Amino acid sequence: MARTRRKTNRRRKNAAGSTRRHSRRRMNTRHRRRSNPGGAVVKDWLSLGAGAVVGGVGATQLPQLVLSTSNTGAIGYLANMAATGILAAAAHMLMKGNKALVAGIIAGGVGATIKRVIGDYSLLGSYGASLGMGTT
């Protein structure tokens, strides 16, 4: 008894270098509607700016309140960075959805610390102090 093969619809392989279009099957792609990102930009900028002010002022004033006369040199710089971390962590816990505020606090605290290092160790800081600008 000879076995006969059933006829089946087999896909043919593409010849090397040729491309076959999907003529029978239609590709079903869904496009997600995207919102306009320009709407929240002003809010993010304001949050970032407010965070930078809070981080800059808080990073310099909190260590001064706690350490008073010991707020000099490396200990003062570490205290500035610790205050920045504490402020950023508090803002992250209290304002869960506002990442721009937390980023602003970190940027302001790091910027205030860099400003303090420049004021203490570079010629720019001593020149500015001699002009009456002062470093706070």
Side-chain angles (χ1 to χ4, degrees):
M1 207 168 163
R3 271 188 121 159
T4 58
R5 268 187 154 165
R6 281 193 326 174
K7 292 183 180 181
T8 59
N9 271 342
R10 293 188 197 179
R11 291 184 185 165
R12 292 183 182 175
K13 292 186 177 180
N14 292 342
S18 70
T19 57
R20 250 175 84 180
R21 294 199 176 261
H22 300 285
S23 59
R24 290 183 182 177
R25 190 169 34 152
R26 195 171 156 193
M27 301 299 284
N28 188 12
T29 57
R30 293 183 181 186
H31 297 286
R32 184 178 166 265
R33 185 178 172 125
R34 295 183 184 105
S35 63
N36 185 7
V41 172
V42 175
K43 180 185 167 197
D44 288 343
W45 285 355
L46 290 174
S47 295
L48 193 65
V53 170
V54 169
V57 172
T60 55
Q61 296 303 315
L62 286 178
Q64 187 64 33
L65 287 172
V66 174
L67 297 175
S68 64
T69 58
S70 300
N71 190 14
T72 58
I75 293 174
Y77 306 140
L78 288 175
N80 281 9
M81 295 309 292
T84 301
I86 290 169
L87 286 171
H92 178 69
M93 283 189 262
L94 295 175
M95 310 285 237
K96 295 218 183 254
N98 202 343
K99 292 181 180 180
L101 181 72
V102 176
I105 289 173
I106 293 170
V110 170
T113 305
I114 291 172
K115 178 183 177 254
R116 183 174 174 188
V117 170
I118 289 173
D120 290 348
Y121 291 111
S122 79
L123 293 174
L124 293 174
S126 61
Y127 181 70
S130 69
L131 289 176
M133 292 182 191
T135 56
T136 55

